[in-house]
């Protein structure tokens, strides 16, 4: 998608700090980290949010969830949190599906 910040990152038009990539997904450090480790995991396919995940994305989502623990291990995390925000009221600011991988500090139990 032309205007999407994360699609621009995928095309190399905006620089990013790569953590992991393969043919389906890309992971990079968040520009404004909220924890010592704050990695964003995104599909190469532009999907607007978790609200747009459909049955044809099942294998992609399964792949993302197998890679997340590998990235956590690569980042030396044993404990971590994964968050995806869908829609403005949930805090989504970039309309390209992404998973926040957070760790490296005690985060407590409050989710909202
Ligand atoms: P959201 O608020 O949509 O759940 O998360 C979007 C995330 O993208 C935010 O944590 C924000 O800091 C991050 N972000 C926005 N623009 C950029 C950018 O250009 N580069 C990187 N690395 N992260 C970005
Ligand atoms: Zn996009």
């Amino acid at each position: 998608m032309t205007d999407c910040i994360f699609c621009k990152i995928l095309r190399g038009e905006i620089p990013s700090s790569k953590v992991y990539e393969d043919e389906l997904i890309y992971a990079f450090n968040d520009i404004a980290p909220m924890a010592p480790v704050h990695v964003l995991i995104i599909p190469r396919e532009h999907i607007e949010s978790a609200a747009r995940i459909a049955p044809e994305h099942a294998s992609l989502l399964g792949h993302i969830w197998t890679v997340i623990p590998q990235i956590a291990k690569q980042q030396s995390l044993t404990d971590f949190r994964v968050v995806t925000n869908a829609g403005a009221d949930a805090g989504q600011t970039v309309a390209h599906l992404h998973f926040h991988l957070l760790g490296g500090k005690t985060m407590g139990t409050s989710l909202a």
Side-chain angles (χ1 to χ4, degrees):
M1 242 206 158
T2 332
D3 292 343
C4 170
I5 293 173
F6 288 174
C7 283
K8 287 182 180 174
I9 285 176
L10 286 166
R11 292 195 297 265
E13 294 167 14
I14 294 175
S16 63
S17 163
K18 181 175 80 173
V19 168
Y20 172 91
E21 72 175 328
D22 63 31
E23 68 282 0
L24 292 175
I25 65 179
Y26 184 68
F28 56 104
N29 289 308
D30 196 292
I31 204 167
M34 292 192 173
V37 174
H38 187 168
V39 173
L40 299 172
I41 298 115
I42 66 174
R44 292 191 183 277
E45 177 182 351
H46 180 90
I47 300 167
E48 274 182 27
S49 78
R52 297 294 177 90
I53 293 171
E56 65 261 30
H57 302 126
S59 65
L60 170 64
L61 268 294
H63 179 66
I64 289 172
W65 276 103
T66 61
V67 169
I68 282 172
Q70 294 174 36
I71 297 174
K73 192 173 179 187
Q74 176 200 76
Q75 298 290 315
S76 303
L77 296 177
T78 52
D79 299 358
F80 55 87
R81 175 175 289 171
V82 179
V83 175
T84 188
N85 300 321
D89 281 356
Q92 186 178 11
T93 59
V94 179
H96 182 129
L97 177 64
H98 53 281
F99 295 86
H100 299 259
L101 171 65
L102 299 151
K105 71 171 189 178
T106 303
M107 286 178 277
T109 55
S110 176
L111 290 178

